[in-house]
Amino acid sequence: MSEEKENSQFQLTDTLLEQVELLIETQNDKELKSVMDEFHYADIAEILDELNLEQAMYVIKLLDSETTADILMELDEDNREKVLKNLSAKEIAEEVEELDTDDAADIIAELPEERQQAVIDQIEDEAHKAEITELLTYDDDVAGGLMAKELVKVYETWTVAGCLRRIRGQAKDVKRVHSIYVVDKKDRLIGRLSLKDLIVAKSEQKIADIYISNVDYVNVNEDAEEVARIMAKYDLEAIPVIESDDNKVLLGRITIDDIVDVLKEEADKDYQMAAGITSDVEADDSIIQLTKARLPWLFLGLVGGVGAFLIMEGFHEAFSKYTVLFFFTPLIAAMAGNVGVQSSAIIVQGLANDDVKGSINSRLLKEMLLAALNGLILALFLFVFVWIAQGEANTALAVSTSLVVVIIVAGLIGTFVPLFLDKRGIDPAIATGPFITTSNDIFGILIYFSIAKLILGI
Amino acid sequence: MSEEKENSQFQLTDTLLEQVELLIETQNDKELKSVMDEFHYADIAEILDELNLEQAMYVIKLLDSETTADILMELDEDNREKVLKNLSAKEIAEEVEELDTDDAADIIAELPEERQQAVIDQIEDEAHKAEITELLTYDDDVAGGLMAKELVKVYETWTVAGCLRRIRGQAKDVKRVHSIYVVDKKDRLIGRLSLKDLIVAKSEQKIADIYISNVDYVNVNEDAEEVARIMAKYDLEAIPVIESDDNKVLLGRITIDDIVDVLKEEADKDYQMAAGITSDVEADDSIIQLTKARLPWLFLGLVGGVGAFLIMEGFHEAFSKYTVLFFFTPLIAAMAGNVGVQSSAIIVQGLANDDVKGSINSRLLKEMLLAALNGLILALFLFVFVWIAQGEANTALAVSTSLVVVIIVAGLIGTFVPLFLDKRGIDPAIATGPFITTSNDIFGILIYFSIAKLILGI
């Protein structure tokens, strides 16, 4: 029996943390090591994230590099950065030797540039070093930045028996064998096989006779989000990466766990943008980090508020007899903001899921009809309320007519802006949240007062 | 060579759609079939989603049930419902026979209750029927609702050679062999093996000597989101499902592709809630469906706006000399809303990622300090602006002091509400979006006027 760790039941309790801290304080290495040995590396990382740097370093120095390499990958990014600062280039190289090439390259890429080469120089395994150096040449938002070099590759000329023999060798370096990639003599991808296909085949058969020729693949420069979309759509657990469509040399493979991370990061980023938070902060970050992420968006809101103030002041004199109109500005602004956020969110999500079809014009027309319908229903309620509250049909008409127009314009802006940004190659998600609410606040109030002025004949 | 389809390069163009529509219209079955045969089932589903029901039915009736079963699973839910309505119980049963048990159960669960039994009765394979019937007993938000019955299971007493022989039999029903589960004679899960472990082992070895005893698993009643969290955290591609912690009988297994779907749905739902859209609509849904999803939240905003109106009217007389104060209400309301959304989004995301630690009080204290810091910086700018614009320090002081207090209160509400809902077992995501902006608008304006009244001594 091998020694992998059970974990489904792991719970990080205060008691456990205190126990670990006590063991570190009393330098009870033997007991500490035996406690840690009970846990999965992802759980140890969760514990270390809660300790201070000195305590975390103590545990890392205690455990063997095979475990600590995996722990490093699971640490919170901020904490990993601190830990790496406290390790020598030689120590980092030892960790890196234990990791798959994709994780190894990720760790090195996180280091300050001047340390990267120092760490690479210390890697002893020349093949591993060359592979990591290659992976470092790719951006982290393309297929090349996600792929690992570890894969199982067979030549079409081999027999099933020969294959199984050689796979026994290659597979030692590969944690999980998803697919076996079949290449021609120039290492160009021509097909695939599953381990299952291989073990159900007869041992004297040739690979050429049993492989599946139609194989999914992505180009090494394909966008990471597009890779995620393809893998999710076709339910793939791994996808091979080739050099280019003309020259299908097999360069690496991307596995589904990396895609789960891409999807999570993407979703988190969009969610934070919609909430007006510059991405990449967590509830546990420092007040300074959180302020940096939040303040710019609030400042945008402040500028918008000042804009609204100036508009209202501009209409002040004209409306001196109708002060009551000012009391509806929060309502108009809120509705403009809400409609804008709704329509932009639907477009942003549709773009992300690749199901926004048809022209921009047809989208705008649909949103206009939708906003008009919603606006009319809401305006009817508002008209009745204002009429009863103010006993004056003209004011009621002015406010509720404005509401319909404001809702339509807000819906159109919310639909147009993300579509426009997307066409320009800019992430449409920035169009949601404070950006759309602020601009819609101003437009909304301006439209409201203009229409009210017109209807009331001031 | 087998006949699976290549797809990475698929693009749904208008030309392709027109070509397909023409082939359907002219009933050119041979050509239509050969065009469809070139595509992956996920791509055919994308094409069918763009056709009208009659055209889609034509294609479905034309293709064999092995392909159409997979296509059905990939169709947009609304379209699948329509297609299923047009198929007889016998036809649906034929599709279901081709699917894995988890997908088969999902399809049947989507049918109106009165049709479910009719379809089940038509399933010919008795073992498949029994398994599907079992799966239908689980809710779709627990592990049982995600799992499939297809898995490869070996007894600890078998030898490696015997194992490989029997796996050749079992594996026919299993699309991808992730892990081989090892059970004792009472079918209780005791460990696992990878196919790789098996082929690198010597053929005369006993399973009992080579299996990995510490195996991750989840209880059949475990929450689906928790299963997703566990699989993402531990990078698992499949996880076995057991009956209960006391009686670890192996019931099924969940694969990572189902988890990718859970994660995507969860992210989409949270995003839509934050944007004030009742979940489960898409850009391509009808105007009526979109109105149903959007109008209730807008109505909430309308009620909030009416509330703000009433507050402002209440302060009308007191502020007759300071009408200028009313012009800052959009600013105050916007800031209260923005801060509330920011703080609630950070908590909601932290709760989803399970990294919100510590007590509610410590969270509130942190948010209070953060909001105070942000509020002071913003208030300083506002103070200077109002002073210059109005030439009056008192008004400037009243507006900017209120801003600080409003931002702090908005941050506290945004932090408290999701934490409170989470403790009560309610999805905290509903606290974001229109809910928090509307309540913060009202609180913000009320606080603003009260403080202004106090400072200006009215």
Side-chain angles (χ1 to χ4, degrees):
Chain A
M1 291 188 292
S2 306
E3 42 12 296
E4 292 210 16
K5 316 292 181 279
E6 184 174 338
N7 47 55
S8 309
Q9 275 71 36
F10 179 77
Q11 272 292 351
L12 180 54
T13 59
D14 287 344
T15 325
L16 173 60
L17 261 186
E18 277 164 30
Q19 189 198 354
V20 170
E21 285 176 319
L22 186 69
L23 290 172
I24 294 170
E25 213 176 298
T26 55
Q27 308 200 355
N28 191 341
D29 292 356
K30 203 176 146 225
E31 180 68 14
L32 183 58
K33 207 164 171 336
S34 98
V35 168
M36 289 300 168
D37 277 346
E38 279 169 41
F39 297 119
H40 187 280
Y41 58 80
D43 297 324
I44 302 180
E46 217 176 301
I47 296 172
L48 296 196
D49 275 332
E50 293 304 304
L51 299 176
N52 66 38
L53 180 62
E54 207 182 322
Q55 293 169 326
M57 289 307 303
Y58 190 90
V59 175
I60 285 172
K61 300 264 180 186
L62 185 70
L63 303 176
D64 57 59
S65 62
E66 198 183 334
T67 314
T68 52
D70 289 329
I71 294 172
L72 266 185
M73 288 309 299
E74 298 291 329
L75 279 183
D76 191 279
E77 210 178 314
D78 304 338
N79 293 331
R80 179 164 59 238
E81 194 189 320
K82 286 183 208 147
V83 167
L84 289 174
K85 252 191 203 153
N86 274 276
L87 292 175
S88 69
K90 174 118 197 79
E91 284 168 324
I92 298 175
E94 278 165 17
E95 306 282 1
V96 159
E97 301 251 20
E98 301 290 342
L99 291 170
D100 278 353
T101 48
D102 54 343
D103 291 339
D106 288 346
I107 287 268
I108 293 177
E110 280 180 23
L111 295 172
E113 231 163 281
E114 64 277 13
R115 289 198 79 190
Q116 295 189 1
Q117 196 53 52
V119 170
I120 293 170
D121 291 341
Q122 296 279 351
I123 299 174
E124 284 174 12
D125 180 336
E126 288 299 327
H128 203 53
K129 189 194 284 192
E131 288 176 340
I132 293 170
T133 310
E134 180 202 330
L135 290 182
L136 282 170
T137 63
Y138 303 111
D139 285 340
D140 63 357
D141 59 353
V142 298
L146 291 175
M147 74 180 183
K149 299 296 289 180
E150 287 83 2
L151 52 78
V152 178
K153 176 171 91 172
V154 299
Y155 289 88
E156 55 174 334
T157 50
W158 291 358
T159 62
V160 168
C163 233
L164 279 171
R165 211 167 39 238
R166 290 179 212 214
I167 285 174
R168 287 198 175 105
Q170 289 183 36
K172 272 178 203 141
D173 295 332
V174 184
K175 264 192 210 145
R176 295 170 191 140
V177 179
H178 292 86
S179 262
I180 298 159
Y181 301 116
V182 182
V183 292
D184 65 13
K185 57 178 187 253
K186 288 188 169 168
D187 277 315
R188 286 178 303 214
L189 180 70
I190 57 168
R192 68 182 170 85
L193 264 180
S194 72
L195 213 42
K196 193 190 97 185
D197 296 328
L198 211 55
I199 65 166
V200 296
K202 296 202 182 75
S203 60
E204 66 279 9
Q205 278 186 292
K206 275 262 171 18
I207 296 302
D209 298 326
I210 61 165
Y211 80 84
I212 297 155
S213 69
N214 282 309
V215 54
D216 295 304
Y217 56 82
V218 288
N219 193 298
V220 73
N221 293 314
E222 185 67 87
D223 188 70
E225 284 174 39
E226 179 62 16
V227 178
R229 205 190 57 76
I230 291 173
M231 292 185 72
K233 176 175 172 187
Y234 299 114
D235 282 350
L236 304 175
E237 305 203 330
I239 196 164
V241 181
I242 57 160
E243 196 176 302
S244 71
D245 289 335
D246 303 326
N247 186 18
K248 297 189 177 178
V249 171
L250 180 61
L251 292 181
R253 58 134 197 199
I254 297 170
T255 49
I256 187 80
D257 54 321
D258 297 316
I259 293 308
V260 168
D261 295 340
V262 169
L263 289 172
K264 271 181 84 85
E265 271 170 37
E266 188 55 24
D268 281 0
K269 201 185 75 188
D270 284 358
Y271 188 76
Q272 294 202 331
M273 276 211 234
I277 305 168
T278 309
S279 72
D280 237 11
V281 289
E282 285 161 30
D284 273 333
D285 283 341
S286 74
I287 288 184
I288 298 298
Q289 280 171 309
L290 286 165
T291 296
K292 271 190 201 159
R294 290 170 59 163
L295 196 57
W297 295 101
L298 293 179
F299 199 79
L300 179 69
L302 189 75
V303 172
V306 167
F309 166 83
L310 294 173
I311 293 172
M312 289 170 82
E313 217 189 16
F315 280 90
H316 187 183
E317 229 155 290
F319 285 176
S320 53
K321 275 198 208 144
Y322 293 92
T323 334
V324 69
L325 288 176
F326 289 121
F327 304 164
F328 289 103
T329 43
L331 186 150
I332 297 284
M335 298 308 281
N338 287 354
V339 170
V341 168
Q342 283 182 337
S343 50
S344 62
I346 284 196
I347 296 293
V348 167
Q349 202 158 59
L351 288 170
N353 294 335
D354 209 23
D355 59 3
V356 174
K357 277 136 201 160
S359 67
I360 289 195
N361 283 340
S362 68
R363 283 282 142 201
L364 290 176
L365 182 69
K366 182 174 179 186
E367 177 64 31
M368 202 170 90
L369 292 171
L370 176 68
L373 176 64
N374 288 354
L376 281 171
I377 298 172
L378 294 165
L380 192 70
F381 281 98
L382 188 61
F383 181 85
V384 172
F385 168 77
V386 179
W387 202 3
I388 295 173
Q390 296 293 313
E392 222 236 308
N394 260 357
T395 316
L397 187 69
V399 177
S400 45
T401 308
S402 310
L403 183 66
V404 179
V405 179
V406 165
I407 286 179
I408 292 175
V409 174
L412 291 178
I413 294 176
T415 304
F416 178 75
V417 174
L419 286 171
F420 176 78
L421 292 179
D422 187 58
K423 276 241 186 281
R424 287 294 178 102
I426 302 168
D427 184 351
I430 62 163
T432 55
F435 187 80
I436 214 90
T437 45
T438 303
S439 59
N440 279 1
D441 271 12
I442 294 185
F443 279 116
I445 293 174
L446 194 60
I447 291 169
Y448 164 48
F449 286 143
S450 307
I451 291 179
K453 211 175 151 196
L454 209 71
I455 290 183
L456 297 173
I458 311 170
Chain B
M1 289 187 294
S2 306
E3 45 7 300
E4 290 211 16
K5 315 294 180 278
E6 184 173 338
N7 47 53
S8 311
Q9 276 71 35
F10 178 77
Q11 271 292 350
L12 181 54
T13 60
D14 286 344
T15 325
L16 173 61
L17 260 186
E18 277 164 29
Q19 190 198 353
V20 170
E21 284 176 318
L22 186 70
L23 290 173
I24 294 170
E25 213 174 298
T26 57
Q27 308 201 355
N28 190 341
D29 291 356
K30 204 176 145 224
E31 180 67 14
L32 184 58
K33 206 163 171 339
S34 99
V35 167
M36 289 298 169
D37 277 346
E38 280 168 41
F39 297 120
H40 187 281
Y41 58 80
D43 296 324
I44 302 180
E46 218 176 300
I47 296 172
L48 296 195
D49 274 333
E50 293 304 303
L51 298 176
N52 66 37
L53 180 62
E54 206 182 321
Q55 293 169 325
M57 289 308 302
Y58 190 89
V59 176
I60 286 172
K61 300 264 181 185
L62 185 68
L63 303 175
D64 57 57
S65 63
E66 197 181 335
T67 314
T68 52
D70 289 329
I71 294 172
L72 267 185
M73 287 310 298
E74 298 291 329
L75 279 183
D76 191 279
E77 209 178 313
D78 303 338
N79 292 331
R80 179 165 56 238
E81 195 190 320
K82 286 181 208 148
V83 168
L84 290 174
K85 250 189 205 155
N86 273 276
L87 293 175
S88 69
K90 174 118 195 80
E91 284 167 323
I92 298 175
E94 277 164 18
E95 305 284 1
V96 158
E97 302 252 17
E98 300 290 341
L99 292 169
D100 278 354
T101 47
D102 53 344
D103 291 338
D106 287 347
I107 287 267
I108 294 176
E110 280 180 23
L111 294 172
E113 230 161 284
E114 63 278 13
R115 290 198 78 190
Q116 295 188 1
Q117 195 53 51
V119 171
I120 292 169
D121 291 341
Q122 296 280 351
I123 299 174
E124 283 174 11
D125 179 337
E126 288 299 329
H128 203 52
K129 189 193 284 192
E131 288 176 339
I132 293 170
T133 311
E134 181 202 330
L135 290 182
L136 282 169
T137 62
Y138 303 110
D139 285 340
D140 64 357
D141 59 351
V142 298
L146 292 175
M147 74 180 183
K149 299 297 290 181
E150 288 82 2
L151 51 78
V152 178
K153 174 171 92 172
V154 300
Y155 289 88
E156 56 175 334
T157 49
W158 290 359
T159 62
V160 168
C163 232
L164 279 171
R165 211 166 40 236
R166 292 181 211 212
I167 285 174
R168 287 199 176 103
Q170 289 185 34
K172 271 178 207 143
D173 295 332
V174 184
K175 262 193 211 141
R176 295 170 192 139
V177 179
H178 292 86
S179 262
I180 297 158
Y181 301 116
V182 182
V183 293
D184 65 13
K185 57 178 188 253
K186 289 189 170 167
D187 278 314
R188 286 179 302 214
L189 180 70
I190 57 168
R192 67 183 170 86
L193 264 179
S194 71
L195 212 43
K196 195 189 96 186
D197 296 329
L198 210 55
I199 66 165
V200 297
K202 296 200 185 75
S203 58
E204 67 277 11
Q205 279 186 293
K206 275 262 169 30
I207 296 301
D209 298 327
I210 61 164
Y211 81 84
I212 297 156
S213 69
N214 281 310
V215 55
D216 295 305
Y217 56 82
V218 288
N219 194 299
V220 72
N221 292 314
E222 184 67 84
D223 188 69
E225 284 175 39
E226 179 63 15
V227 177
R229 205 188 59 75
I230 290 172
M231 291 186 73
K233 176 174 172 189
Y234 299 114
D235 283 348
L236 304 176
E237 306 203 331
I239 196 164
V241 181
I242 57 159
E243 195 176 303
S244 70
D245 289 335
D246 302 327
N247 185 17
K248 297 187 177 178
V249 171
L250 179 61
L251 293 181
R253 60 134 196 199
I254 297 171
T255 50
I256 186 82
D257 54 319
D258 297 317
I259 292 309
V260 168
D261 295 340
V262 170
L263 288 173
K264 271 179 83 87
E265 271 169 37
E266 187 57 23
D268 281 359
K269 201 184 75 188
D270 284 0
Y271 188 76
Q272 295 203 329
M273 276 212 233
I277 304 168
T278 309
S279 73
D280 237 11
V281 288
E282 285 161 32
D284 274 333
D285 283 342
S286 74
I287 289 185
I288 299 299
Q289 280 172 309
L290 286 165
T291 296
K292 270 190 201 158
R294 289 169 58 164
L295 197 58
W297 295 101
L298 293 179
F299 199 78
L300 179 68
L302 189 76
V303 171
V306 165
F309 165 84
L310 294 174
I311 293 172
M312 287 170 83
E313 216 190 18
F315 280 90
H316 187 183
E317 228 155 291
F319 286 176
S320 53
K321 275 196 208 152
Y322 293 91
T323 334
V324 68
L325 288 176
F326 289 121
F327 304 165
F328 289 103
T329 43
L331 187 150
I332 297 285
M335 298 308 282
N338 287 354
V339 171
V341 170
Q342 283 183 336
S343 50
S344 61
I346 285 196
I347 296 294
V348 167
Q349 202 160 58
L351 288 169
N353 294 333
D354 208 23
D355 58 5
V356 174
K357 279 136 198 159
S359 68
I360 288 195
N361 283 340
S362 68
R363 284 281 142 200
L364 290 175
L365 182 68
K366 183 175 177 184
E367 178 64 31
M368 202 169 89
L369 292 173
L370 176 68
L373 176 65
N374 288 353
L376 281 171
I377 297 172
L378 294 164
L380 192 68
F381 280 97
L382 188 63
F383 181 84
V384 173
F385 168 79
V386 180
W387 202 3
I388 293 172
Q390 296 295 312
E392 224 236 309
N394 260 357
T395 315
L397 187 69
V399 178
S400 45
T401 307
S402 311
L403 183 66
V404 179
V405 179
V406 166
I407 286 180
I408 292 174
V409 173
L412 291 179
I413 294 176
T415 305
F416 178 76
V417 174
L419 286 171
F420 175 79
L421 291 179
D422 187 58
K423 278 240 184 288
R424 286 295 178 101
I426 303 169
D427 184 351
I430 62 163
T432 56
F435 188 81
I436 215 91
T437 45
T438 303
S439 59
N440 278 2
D441 272 11
I442 295 185
F443 279 117
I445 293 173
L446 195 59
I447 291 169
Y448 164 49
F449 287 143
S450 307
I451 291 179
K453 208 172 154 198
L454 209 71
I455 290 182
L456 296 171
I458 311 170

